[in-house]
Amino acid sequence: MLEKLKAIEEKYNELARRMEQPEVYSDPALYAKLAKEQKEIAPVTEAWRRYEKCRDDAQQAKELMSDPDFHELAQEEYEQAKAAMEEIEAEIKLLLIPKDPNDEKNVIIEIRGGAGGEEAALFAASLYRMYTMYGESRRWKSEVVNLNETELGGIKEISFVIEGEGAYSRLKFESGVHRVQRVPDTEASGRIHTSTVTVAVLPEMEEVDFQINPADLQIDTYRSSGAGGQHVNKTESAIRITHLPTGTVVECQDERSQHKNRERAMKILASRLYEAEREKQNAAVAAERKSQVGTGDRSERIRTYNFPQGRVTDHRIGLTLYKIEQIMNGDLDELIDALITADQAEKLKASEA
């Protein structure tokens, strides 16, 4: 591992030297590329430098321990340096876990009401609100792509994009079945109902990230279904794209422009096809070793929201939080941090096996 860390530090220094060269500095695209590379390995380099300093401190303290006048003080410094080295070593191991290449991408979230009829649709609307409020707290931008509402203000299905640094890395563990237990407003007897909502989280792919053959596409245009009045869209700006080999259908009717709708629909199609391909490749691995935070399979029940008891339970990591109101208002960091920690621990265990 030490050789690997030295090589990473050398690469970091080499990138710094290149970025100081006039021909690189005057080329914004090249400079940005090198700066991105450097940023990616900066945390490992910084941790390695701290480790080296602690190692030097430990060595100096060890040498001083032979002097009776300094033995006690040197012993204390030695033990402190060794403890710091162990902490940094654990930090470095986590930093060296291969990164998900999609972590920095924007995210497409698709929410659909499942079992439970109107109550499921109302909870789907609550989840949409929860995710957008979480996005706002991190200064991310959200944009609805396609929406199918019920008469009572619920959501049969919705697709929306969240744009922002690290959006996918924070939200990718939300894929799966979310179960809600509560007394519906329409329930006169006060009986608790159980409903489900499915959430799919996809990294937003550019068309260049996932090649699609234009001959495989059927593109239809139609009028967006607006709320009436001045919002009625009198032109056929909504887009429906069907990927013929797989039967995947994407609709986009939020933008006023047909061109923008087509562009957004193509990104979502690329994301869905990419995800289907990735699920196929991961199926064999998942069969052998199920990750602690689940497979991300949409059929897997991942979380229960129990309103009468005020609790939210994530079944993958056995975490229960009694703060349902805060969570439904977008306070998701405690849940998400716990899922990320569990995922890192599982990956670390796998890398050491």
Side-chain angles (χ1 to χ4, degrees):
M1 190 170 82
L2 295 180
E3 291 305 313
K4 185 175 184 178
L5 291 166
K6 285 176 186 172
I8 290 170
E9 185 185 29
E10 282 172 17
K11 184 182 178 184
Y12 181 90
N13 293 335
E14 174 58 27
L15 286 166
R17 281 193 293 272
R18 285 189 66 192
M19 286 162 67
E20 287 171 359
Q21 292 170 0
E23 62 270 25
V24 173
Y25 194 76
S26 59
D27 183 342
L30 179 57
Y31 186 86
K33 179 177 175 288
L34 298 180
K36 187 177 178 230
E37 277 183 52
Q38 193 188 48
K39 185 184 174 185
E40 283 170 2
I41 59 174
V44 179
T45 305
E46 189 268 329
W48 166 240
R49 286 172 179 172
R50 279 190 285 121
Y51 182 88
E52 282 190 306
K53 186 183 182 306
C54 288
R55 190 175 59 182
D56 292 343
D57 290 347
Q59 185 59 39
Q60 287 170 18
K62 195 174 181 181
E63 289 168 8
L64 267 176
M65 280 161 61
S66 57
D67 187 329
D69 294 335
F70 294 101
H71 179 80
E72 196 173 325
L73 181 64
Q75 175 80 35
E76 190 181 329
E77 286 182 359
Y78 176 76
E79 286 171 6
Q80 284 176 351
K82 290 294 280 184
M85 283 169 69
E86 284 178 20
E87 278 184 24
I88 297 167
E89 198 171 321
E91 183 187 335
I92 287 171
K93 281 180 180 176
L94 280 178
L95 288 168
L96 288 176
I97 292 172
K99 296 278 187 294
D100 184 333
N102 298 315
D103 273 353
E104 293 308 309
K105 289 188 182 294
N106 296 328
V107 69
I108 296 162
I109 301 181
E110 299 177 340
I111 302 174
R112 290 178 177 83
E118 187 62 43
E119 174 61 10
L122 288 168
F123 188 61
S126 298
L127 286 184
Y128 166 65
R129 177 179 175 272
M130 179 182 80
Y131 291 129
T132 52
M133 287 183 80
Y134 179 64
E136 283 169 15
S137 74
R138 299 189 76 87
R139 299 188 176 177
W140 294 339
K141 180 187 163 193
S142 64
E143 185 181 335
V144 174
V145 173
N146 199 36
L147 172 62
N148 186 351
E149 296 176 288
T150 67
E151 289 179 7
L152 296 179
I155 290 175
K156 288 181 185 174
E157 60 179 325
I158 185 170
S159 297
F160 60 103
V161 178
I162 293 184
E163 298 176 354
E165 189 174 343
Y168 183 72
S169 71
R170 300 290 298 172
L171 292 168
K172 62 184 175 183
F173 298 117
E174 295 300 302
S175 274
V177 175
H178 295 243
R179 182 174 71 169
V180 60
Q181 295 171 324
R182 64 183 177 186
V183 179
D185 294 337
T186 53
E187 178 59 63
S189 66
R191 191 166 59 89
I192 295 170
H193 283 231
T194 299
S195 307
T196 60
V197 169
T198 61
V199 175
V201 180
L202 316 171
E204 185 184 54
M205 291 287 149
E206 300 290 339
E207 287 181 59
V208 292
D209 293 331
F210 192 91
Q211 294 296 326
I212 299 172
N213 185 349
D216 291 339
L217 302 179
Q218 177 183 312
I219 301 175
D220 301 305
T221 59
Y222 60 101
R223 289 187 184 181
S224 296
S225 51
Q230 63 183 10
H231 299 291
V232 167
N233 194 326
K234 293 185 170 61
T235 61
E236 294 196 344
S237 66
I239 290 280
R240 183 186 296 110
I241 299 179
T242 305
H243 185 248
L244 299 172
T246 60
T248 306
V249 179
V250 174
E251 293 182 352
C252 187
Q253 56 171 315
D254 189 61
E255 301 280 2
R256 296 293 165 135
S257 145
Q258 188 183 109
H259 174 73
K260 283 185 180 176
N261 275 326
R262 187 190 182 284
E263 189 181 342
R264 179 66 83 192
M266 283 300 292
K267 282 185 179 182
I268 293 174
L269 179 62
S271 301
R272 284 200 196 160
L273 294 177
Y274 167 83
E275 190 67 12
E277 187 63 33
R278 192 168 69 158
E279 281 177 10
K280 200 162 66 178
Q281 290 171 1
N282 288 347
V285 178
E288 288 175 23
R289 181 182 63 83
K290 188 178 176 184
S291 165
Q292 192 171 350
V293 293
T295 59
D297 191 316
R298 291 172 209 174
S299 64
E300 180 182 22
R301 189 190 73 197
I302 62 165
R303 195 176 294 150
T304 295
Y305 304 75
N306 186 302
F307 280 81
Q309 295 176 19
R311 66 172 169 85
V312 175
T313 299
D314 197 291
H315 305 290
R316 297 164 293 180
I317 54 175
L319 174 68
T320 296
L321 299 174
Y322 287 89
K323 48 186 277 189
I324 195 164
E325 194 175 325
Q326 296 97 307
I327 286 169
M328 296 313 295
N329 284 327
D331 183 4
L332 293 175
D333 276 331
E334 190 174 353
L335 260 175
I336 289 171
D337 288 340
L339 287 162
I340 289 171
T341 300
D343 183 55
Q344 287 177 335
E346 190 68 16
K347 285 176 179 171
L348 195 58
K349 202 162 88 178
S351 69
E352 290 172 349

